[in-house]
Amino acid sequence: MIRWLAKMFGQGLSWPDRSRLGLSWPDLTRQGRSRPDLSRPDRSRPDRSRPDRSRRGLAEPIPVEVVATGQGFQLLRGGEPYYVRGAGLGGGSVEELAAAGANSLRTWSTHGADSLLDRAQSLGLSVALGLDIGLERHGFDYDDAEAVAAQCDRLREQVGRYKDHPALLCWIIGNEPNLNYSNTRVFDAINALSKMIHELDGAHPVSYTHLT
């Protein structure tokens, strides 16, 4: 499931890149599969009639899950089919992204996530929230058990802080950890982080971006 989810925002999309905002996830028609019954409400389109419950003490998570169907897999948000139309935000404008027709964005870390999640919620956007991890190419040693444990503790705090925000779509662990690496223990650490996140948050999928 992790590698399948990694396709969501892991295709090098950056903002601005409006020409690719029409991509859906997954694009079932291109795979010869039928779409779900679209007569049901489409949670992939912004619903600005819903009250903003992102204030502290009022936040209620919107459950997100990937379910198996007769044709493959389907992303559900709030129990309804959800098709991602979005990009990696980087340093761009959330407002311009929403105006371009997007419904989602990804980040590479939780830096500034408090205000970003609130802004996204007010604009009807969901957020694939990145969790920054140490990378071998930047000097992180996955043979260092203490450093790996400290990293897990740090990310546990971040997950606990943001898991109930209604704008949260999923978690993304790291970014291209397999770029210029040799120590495969990075994937042991990613797997342990995924299990930790699922223990804390049963309402959102976990992914990571893999360089191919």
Side-chain angles (χ1 to χ4, degrees), residues 38-134:
L38 296 182
S39 64
R40 302 172 67 187
D42 183 3
R43 292 299 292 271
S44 66
R45 294 188 177 279
D47 181 2
R48 294 181 173 83
S49 65
R50 299 177 64 243
D52 182 0
R53 301 187 62 81
S54 61
R55 299 173 186 172
R56 294 292 176 260
L58 294 178
E60 297 177 359
I62 298 176
V64 181
E65 59 183 331
V66 179
V67 298
T69 69
Q71 294 78 36
F73 294 91
Q74 174 67 59
L75 180 69
L76 302 179
R77 186 168 187 246
E80 303 295 339
Y82 190 82
Y83 299 94
V84 170
R85 303 185 306 277
L89 185 65
S93 165
V94 180
E95 289 75 18
E96 288 185 28
L97 186 64
N103 66 1
S104 305
L105 62 97
R106 71 156 288 188
T107 72
W108 282 259
S109 74
T110 60
H111 178 71
D114 291 277
S115 61
L116 175 64
L117 286 164
D118 287 347
R119 287 162 60 204
Q121 174 69 5
S122 70
L123 293 167
L125 300 172
S126 67
V127 179
L129 196 58
L131 298 171
D132 189 28
I133 66 171

Side-chain angles (χ1 to χ4, degrees), residues 172-189:
I172 301 179
I173 302 173
N175 185 64
E176 299 178 352
N178 62 318
L179 175 62
N180 298 331
Y181 87 112
S182 59
N183 191 344
T184 58
R185 287 188 177 181
V186 62
F187 297 108
D188 294 332

Side-chain angles (χ1 to χ4, degrees), residues 9-46:
F9 289 105
Q11 303 300 319
L13 286 177
S14 60
W15 176 254
D17 188 2
R18 301 186 183 186
S19 65
R20 300 182 67 185
L21 291 177
L23 293 175
S24 62
W25 172 52
D27 190 337
L28 300 179
T29 57
R30 292 185 181 180
Q31 302 176 36
R33 304 169 181 169
S34 59
R35 289 183 179 271
D37 181 5
L38 296 182
S39 64
R40 302 172 67 187
D42 183 3
R43 292 299 292 271
S44 66
R45 294 188 177 279

